[in-house]
Amino acid sequence: MGNYASATTVSITDTCSGTTICFGWKHTYNSSTQYSGPIAVNSAVTLKAIAAGTADLASTVSEADYSVTATPTISLSSGKYSADHTVTLSDSTAGAAIYQREPIPLP
């Protein structure tokens, strides 16, 4: 649970032996998936999970919010320039979208 600077993985555990853990996302929880290993998180999501055992016994639903805040890199150093330069915006976070506001105000 929390905010991450880049994509991360989430592991789900249960203290009772012999349970099956199922998980889903906030709006698709009714079509949950059986947990089999770490889950990739690369955007803002709410993860829900439940553990089920024998005799139709199940835990309460656990819920956790995750977000990934990308930090773009600008290819040109700050400063004053006397000619036009090409500027590249990039980010190492998988799936990150970068938006540029037009026009960029100048000081």
Side-chain angles (χ1 to χ4, degrees):
M1 182 153 91
N3 185 33
Y4 297 86
S6 61
T8 189
T9 57
V10 176
S11 295
I12 305 171
T13 59
D14 185 70
T15 57
C16 297
S17 61
T19 58
T20 299
I21 298 173
C22 292
F23 74 95
W25 309 108
K26 185 172 186 174
H27 299 292
T28 61
Y29 181 70
N30 290 336
S31 59
S32 61
T33 303
Q34 186 172 336
Y35 178 76
S36 61
I39 304 161
V41 173
N42 59 13
S43 64
V45 295
T46 298
L47 181 65
K48 292 186 171 191
I50 190 168
T54 58
D56 295 327
L57 297 175
S59 68
T60 57
V61 176
S62 295
E63 185 175 309
D65 295 317
Y66 298 89
S67 64
V68 178
T69 304
T71 303
T73 302
I74 302 172
S75 66
L76 191 63
S77 298
S78 62
K80 293 183 179 184
Y81 296 91
S82 59
D84 290 344
H85 284 73
T86 300
V87 176
T88 303
L89 304 175
S90 60
D91 193 276
S92 61
T93 303
I98 300 173
Y99 299 93
Q100 176 183 330
R101 185 176 69 177
E102 293 285 346
I104 297 175
L106 298 175

